[in-house]
Amino acid sequence: MFLYRAVYTAGIRLKRLTFPAVLSLTVFLSPVFARDVEILVIDADLGLALEGAVIHSWDGKEYACDGEGKARIGVPDGRDAVIRVSYPGYENGRLVIPPAGDGFTVSLRLSGVMENRELVVEAEKPGESETKSGRSVAISEDALKRTAEIGIVEDVMTSIKLLPGVGFTGMFNAMPSIRGGDPGDLTAVLDGFYIENPYHWGGGTSIFDPKMVSSARLSHGVFSARYGHTISGLLEVTSRKPSPVETEFDLGLSTSAAAVNLSVPLFEKGGIMFMGKVTYWDPFVWAAKFFVEEVRYIDIPPFIRDAALSANYRFTADTELSLNGFFGSDGIGVYYDNPYSQDNIEGRADMRFYFDNFQTFLISALTWNPRPSMVLRVSAGAGFLKTALDGYMRTDVKIRYTDRFLAEHDTDFDDPADTKQDGLINGRDFYAIDIGINYDVAQTTFNGQGHIDFDWDLGGGFILALGMQELYTHWKQDQALTTPYISPYVPPRPHVYARIEYVDAFASVENRGLNSSAYALLEYTSPRQFFGAELGFRADHLYFTGKDFSIRTLPALNPRLNLDFALLKDKGILDSLGLTLGTGLFSSLMNQISGLDRRNGIDDYELKQNRSWTSIAGIKLDFTGGYSFNIEGYYKYVFDRGYSLSVVENLERKNVFNFDGDGRIWGFDLQFQKLESRRWDGWLSYSFTYARYRERARPDDDRGGSPGSAWYWPDFHRFHNLNLVFNIKPSGNFNITSRLGLASGTPLNETGAITSSILEMNGAIIEYYTRASAYSETKRSTWSIPLDVKFSWFFHKAVSKVQTELYFAVENLLSLVYTAQGNSSFNALTGEEEAGSQTASYEMPIPMVSFGCKWSY
């Protein structure tokens, strides 16, 4: 939370911006003269024409190659034009078309996935090859550029949060709820490698910069048994691949970051790409200190330093080696020292903390085709993560007793010994207290992974897939926390009902987990794809060990079944009508498992994996002209869900783990989409989510407004989420992208009146204000309405290979007139209620302006 507060205070209020002159000139000027050219797409090794290959033209249009691998496209006269060619199972191709010439050839090579052409039954329609009804929804590289390359931090999760089934979180929260699931249960994989912590700033942004990514896919249905370790959603990210024939260079500069990509070919058999990103918030924070008082206390501005490596080399037509690496760090430092005097209070607040996060991982994979119908992939990788938080918060105040207080509680001072014990200053006029919180937390994580995956085309439409995965994790955690704690207090003092005492939480744990997985699946596709089925089975088993203990567990068995029906094809304006049915079991580990200790008393087979049974039904309609409509309904039953309860015993805080939580989730998502076209594209999505959870072991009298052991709405739950992404292309070199969201509120506790209470702290009797808080079934924050607008310009000289892109964006535009609101806050020492209310999400109360430019060679 402290990260978001630091970022929150760094904003500057902006005035309304309008661009009527710029828009008018851009829309109505620049007529385009074009000529037609013929493009032939072939296999680089065999010379075969690639029917169904998709040509992504310079102006946003897409063309599918005919049976001879040819397509005619329009290109501008008098200057170069760049096209991109894609085909399932092959690396993307790139071609610069010169001002002269009527025919050109593009040669594609098999991709690192090594899906042999015999495995490809039929090419998907443009923009749909990675989206599968009932399983996943994908975002292409072009869509990522439009929706993710925006804001103070460009982030792939900015695009993911616009997809159906994803709950709204706000600008600085990259951990959304996926179809009612816990935000922490979203699992991310990069090129098949499970990422332990794919976030910067404690979850504020992800590590996936859009300039380092070629595509992203969110699987939140009954997805393949190839993947596991989640009961909510799986984010599959594919890194950009280097070109085997061209040297490429990209340089991007935005409001607060610089990114660079350099790709170098290796003997036309592969390539190596270097990528890096550095933020530079220092000037921004320095300038903001003159306008926003709170920003003055940022000692070390928020920073991100990332570097990545992607390489591949094809030894033969059947063997390829790939390598991916990542190094990233982030952090922030805050120092706050502020004396204050108000009414009956004099004192000083002193706060200091430093947060540092570092992670790195390296992945390698060898892909081999022993036969044209077989693919064998062996991969291994290792990662390291270190997070540290060091700091304290201290409040030293002197408070004058009010006349009302002295009159009501005069009997508390009858005993002369009390006067000394109470620590009164100047007779009975003042009391002094010193409240402190100390933090010293460090956690390191090492993980190593190994995967073996084998695919075999059996013929007749059948594909068999087998695989094994080993995931070893070593956690080490050192923690020392000292916090105030209000404990119940019994007279002799009749008016004192509680005492403030200090509670220590010390932990030094070192645990290891070995998660072994195996899967098998059989896919079938009938001729002409009128029927398809996927039957899979996956088993995940955990063996857990600590310093002086070990825990044996039962394996989680996860069968999955998907059925696809092509009900109609080529009926008037309807290209296809498909029905998808799926059901399956999923499992994951609770996030707090790294902190298990022998003192928790967990015996063999008591430690369980989170489980869910998910069923889904979906209908997808594709229309002529690149329109599609998809609706999916689902039901999830969550069981054996792990959770922890914090208890205080003998002034020491500890966690008690339980594995009897359950949940009932159902809802539906719909999406109407216009695929990429010359003039406009985008999508409209709506999600309804009903999610109820229960924690059977939670006591009913648990403080803090807890629902106890009853069914409850989780704090991240939203009933309604609507997103409109609209991309207008007035001309070939100008785009306007807008994003409008509408999200219902999250649960709030019902609060009562602010009342005065008498507490004892360090022997002193003090007046302390509290407000009752109780769980509410009906109270929620107000609706969130985010609105973002982005303007993009593209420039390219006729005799140059350099392309330039400029953008200007405004996020959270409606915050000038409206922000979502939650409960109000109050001062516990004075009883005064703060003006307004707490913001209902990690959102800025002001618009955020960003701009950027990118040069590509």
Side-chain angles (χ1 to χ4, degrees), residues 417-456:
D418 282 346
T419 303
K420 182 178 180 181
Q421 182 182 3
D422 292 339
L424 300 180
I425 302 175
N426 299 329
R428 298 180 181 179
D429 292 339
F430 291 89
Y431 69 89
I433 60 175
D434 182 3
I435 300 177
I437 301 176
N438 296 320
Y439 297 91
D440 187 3
V441 181
Q443 180 170 330
T444 59
T445 304
F446 170 82
N447 75 80
Q449 301 177 34
H451 303 244
I452 300 177
D453 302 281
F454 175 71
D455 285 26
W456 184 12

Side-chain angles (χ1 to χ4, degrees), residues 487-536:
S487 62
Y489 182 67
V490 180
R493 291 195 176 95
H495 299 287
V496 180
Y497 86 98
R499 172 191 288 127
I500 296 182
E501 300 179 292
Y502 283 100
V503 175
D504 295 324
F506 298 102
S508 179
V509 297
E510 186 172 356
N511 296 320
R512 298 170 178 83
L514 179 62
N515 203 315
S516 304
S517 306
Y519 71 86
L521 63 89
L522 182 66
E523 298 180 29
Y524 171 73
T525 304
S526 67
R528 298 182 59 83
Q529 295 187 322
F530 282 110
F531 172 73
E534 179 182 318
L535 175 63

Side-chain angles (χ1 to χ4, degrees), residues 173-189:
N173 185 353
M175 301 177 66
S177 169
I178 308 298
R179 284 185 169 172
D182 188 284
D185 195 63
L186 175 64
T187 296
V189 295

Side-chain angles (χ1 to χ4, degrees), residues 139-148 159 676 683:
I139 298 184
S140 65
E141 184 176 2
D142 293 334
L144 282 173
K145 290 180 180 178
R146 291 195 301 268
T147 57
S159 298
E676 294 184 18
W683 67 82

Side-chain angles (χ1 to χ4, degrees), residues 237-254:
V237 178
T238 303
S239 61
R240 287 186 58 182
K241 303 299 180 185
S243 170
V245 294
E246 290 184 330
T247 298
E248 298 177 336
F249 178 76
D250 295 335
L251 174 62
L253 299 176
S254 64

